[in-house]
Amino acid sequence: MSNLSDLINLNLSDTTDKIIAEYIWVGGSGMDMRSKARTLPGPVTDPSELPKWNYDGSSTGQAPGEDSEVILYPQAIFKDPFRRGNNILVMCDAYTPAGEPIPTNKRHAAAKVFSHPDVVAEVPWYGIEQEYTLLQKEVKWPVGWPIGGFPGPQGPYYCGIGADKSFGRDVVDSHYKACLYAGINISGINGEVMPGQWEFQVGPAVGISAADEIWVARYILERITEIAGVVVSFDPKPIPGDWNGAGAHCNYSTKTMREEGGYEIIKKAIDKLGLRHKEHIAAYGEGNERRLTGHHETADINTFLWGVANRGASIRVGRDTEKEGKGYFEDRRPASNMDPYIVTSMIAETTILWNP
């Protein structure tokens, strides 16, 4: 008699060419992820080979009940680490039946920016540091924390090792390997300053692929925490008080920044980001004012400043970039719950296309 794990792990390729495609999209809140699966006749390698599909937008807060059909357009394919074999995860964006992007479809506008010839020529690279907090399911309190109480103060937990310092490593390591299996360019993980908080990094990735990969990595993380019986939070300040918040620092460079003389291009780009500081802050994540206080390795939300190796700045330039006269910079303002389509395209638009 088969048990449940035997059935979940059935290798479909032993008996059929058919595959399962899990269509993924962003829901009505702009942070909730939704997905559903369909059977396809055989393996698929390009999104253009996949059929469009529909869903009930009235159940996701994305359409009225009297006209609820929303259409999914497949945009990026990843290997499915849960079903494995030839099965796939499909990142989609959402449109009305008439072909108009729905208001929560932020990918459509980002694709326009990234397809602009001036942006294409600059080959923008992104490395995104996604922080998150693991919570106990029943009480929504960080894992490893005493219920109703607090652990010892911050200090031992950042990149910490040991049962009294590191909480949730099994979830984190499972996520790391699952992302590598899926084909996501995940470049590392580490324990963060607040206990129960972790970070993974995606990149370097070019253009819109960075945002696609962050969304699918978030989806995989949600699925793994579902299995583990814990909750993942992308709240930028999950615990008030003397605890670090959670961000999504965005490391960025263009072709000319990576070439000789690039440091001057970097400084001009930072000047432009400073001129549009309020616009960027407004788009960098809900509740970010609780995190950007000028404390806990942040700059105050109303202040724009940059510096070399300064983790209390809005924009940090690395020592290596300064020394070599070329490289990249880090925008430290985005919150952990930012939409990567908005943030990546906005940085490209401001630094490449916008003329003050």
Side-chain angles (χ1 to χ4, degrees), residues 11-315:
N11 186 351
L12 297 180
S13 60
D14 289 343
T15 57
T16 180
D17 291 332
K18 293 179 179 179
I19 69 158
I20 301 171
E22 189 79 27
Y23 280 46
I24 302 166
W25 70 97
V26 181
S29 74
M31 268 306 289
D32 61 313
M33 303 200 72
R34 310 285 178 134
S35 75
K36 61 176 184 170
R38 68 183 296 164
T39 306
L40 299 176
V44 176
T45 57
D46 191 275
S48 63
E49 301 170 41
L50 290 163
K52 293 172 185 174
W53 203 9
N54 64 72
Y55 68 92
D56 171 17
S58 69
S59 295
T60 62
Q62 293 172 295
E66 66 274 10
D67 186 16
S68 66
E69 191 169 283
V70 181
I71 313 300
L72 293 170
Y73 287 28
Q75 299 292 359
I77 291 175
F78 300 85
K79 293 180 61 144
D80 187 339
F82 303 103
R83 296 188 177 108
R84 286 173 265 187
N86 291 320
N87 303 301
I88 54 174
L89 305 176
V90 184
M91 189 64 206
C92 305
D93 59 354
Y95 296 79
T96 67
E100 294 295 320
I102 66 171
T104 52
N105 178 356
K106 306 305 180 186
R107 192 186 193 280
H108 181 78
K112 283 186 175 179
V113 172
F114 285 118
S115 63
H116 191 288
D118 293 351
V119 177
V120 172
E122 281 288 359
V123 196
W125 287 5
Y126 296 89
I128 298 172
E129 305 171 33
Q130 176 68 70
E131 295 178 343
Y132 61 94
T133 308
L134 295 175
L135 305 177
Q136 301 169 59
K137 183 179 175 183
E138 304 302 331
V139 294
K140 303 291 172 62
W141 199 238
V143 296
W145 289 40
I147 294 176
F150 295 87
Q154 295 181 158
Y157 311 109
Y158 172 70
C159 299
I161 301 159
D164 58 342
K165 304 177 199 71
S166 177
F167 312 112
R169 192 183 296 275
D170 53 347
V171 169
V172 174
D173 218 39
S174 298
H175 177 251
Y176 194 0
K177 290 183 177 179
C179 285
L180 285 170
Y181 179 94
I184 291 167
N185 192 23
I186 186 170
S187 45
I189 58 167
N190 60 267
E192 267 305 329
V193 177
M194 188 182 86
Q197 195 176 82
W198 293 82
E199 172 184 300
F200 66 87
Q201 302 96 32
V202 166
V206 178
I208 204 164
S209 64
D212 286 335
E213 291 184 23
I214 281 288
W215 273 119
V216 176
R218 285 174 173 176
Y219 171 83
I220 292 171
L221 181 58
E222 293 263 20
R223 286 282 304 274
I224 289 171
T225 55
E226 175 188 319
I227 294 165
V230 296
V231 174
V232 59
S233 170
F234 295 105
D235 190 292
K237 186 74 173 181
I239 306 295
D242 196 17
W243 304 96
N244 272 38
H249 303 157
C250 190
N251 299 277
Y252 171 74
S253 69
T254 62
K255 185 172 179 286
T256 49
M257 291 176 192
R258 297 187 292 269
E259 294 173 342
E260 293 302 320
Y263 194 37
E264 291 307 309
I265 306 297
I266 287 172
K267 287 192 284 187
K268 288 176 183 175
I270 293 172
D271 287 343
K272 291 168 82 173
L273 287 168
L275 292 173
R276 295 187 82 188
H277 176 64
K278 286 186 177 179
E279 291 171 63
H280 279 255
I281 286 294
Y284 272 18
E286 192 175 339
N288 210 10
E289 72 282 351
R290 293 183 282 115
R291 167 181 161 262
L292 296 181
T293 60
H295 304 287
H296 305 107
E297 300 180 291
T298 70
D300 180 83
I301 194 167
N302 297 311
T303 304
F304 182 87
L305 60 100
W306 73 276
V308 176
N310 182 0
R311 282 184 160 76
S314 313
I315 306 288

Side-chain angles (χ1 to χ4, degrees), residues 263 266 308-309 317-328:
Y263 194 37
I266 287 172
V308 176
V317 174
R319 290 261 179 236
D320 287 347
T321 296
E322 181 190 44
K323 183 179 177 182
E324 294 176 17
K326 59 184 178 180
Y328 71 97

Side-chain angles (χ1 to χ4, degrees), residues 324-345:
E324 294 176 17
K326 59 184 178 180
Y328 71 97
F329 64 82
E330 176 191 41
D331 191 338
R332 297 178 59 81
R333 297 171 296 173
S336 50
N337 61 359
M338 61 86 173
D339 187 320
Y341 293 130
I342 294 175
V343 169
T344 56
S345 61

